[in-house]
Amino acid sequence: MAKILVCDDAAFMRKSIALILKEGEHDVVGEAEDGDVAVAMYKKTKPDIVLLDITMPGKDGLQALKEILTSDPNAKVIMCSAMGNQENVVEAIRSGAKDFILKPPTPQKLLEVVEKYV
């Protein structure tokens, strides 16, 4: 079981991802609606894995990714975005993300990727 922080600006997406994770017997330690909250919650909750959307208001997922990794170079961040264009995927991986999942993920795909990093 992993402690996971779910970050997405859409409440319905956070809830559906959290439900899949809980059904997969993982512990959702927090939900963040933007990059600023994601960074603050990461520092507070120290999750095993962060699921981070790219497109969010204020600080986006790529900025939050870089800040999280600056504070903890061993952080395991998986980007989860509907914007699957090549440029975002490459930038996320180059910036230190462990993986990339297209939204909305199937329960099987989401749990498969999370299990890889537990």
Side-chain angles (χ1 to χ4, degrees), residues 56-98:
M56 295 186 288
K59 185 176 292 166
D60 70 19
L62 292 171
Q63 292 170 304
L65 167 68
K66 291 170 187 168
E67 270 190 53
I68 288 169
L69 289 171
T70 297
S71 73
D72 179 2
N74 297 315
K76 294 177 185 165
V77 181
I78 299 167
M79 304 308 284
C80 190
S81 182
M83 296 191 54
N85 74 39
Q86 199 70 27
E87 192 176 302
N88 283 340
V89 175
V90 170
E91 170 139 12
I93 300 299
R94 192 180 305 131
S95 296
K98 298 290 184 200

Side-chain angles (χ1 to χ4, degrees), residues 6-58:
V6 178
C7 312
D8 196 298
D9 58 325
F12 76 92
M13 188 56 67
R14 289 195 310 272
K15 298 296 179 209
S16 67
I17 288 173
L19 182 62
I20 293 167
L21 293 169
K22 288 174 185 168
E23 288 174 354
E25 300 187 4
H26 293 290
D27 182 18
V28 176
V29 295
E31 295 181 18
E33 66 277 357
D34 66 40
D36 288 313
V37 175
V39 172
M41 286 187 90
Y42 181 84
K43 291 176 181 175
K44 182 179 165 192
T45 63
K46 298 288 186 216
D48 300 314
I49 295 172
V50 179
L51 289 171
L52 187 58
D53 186 15
I54 289 180
T55 309
M56 295 186 288

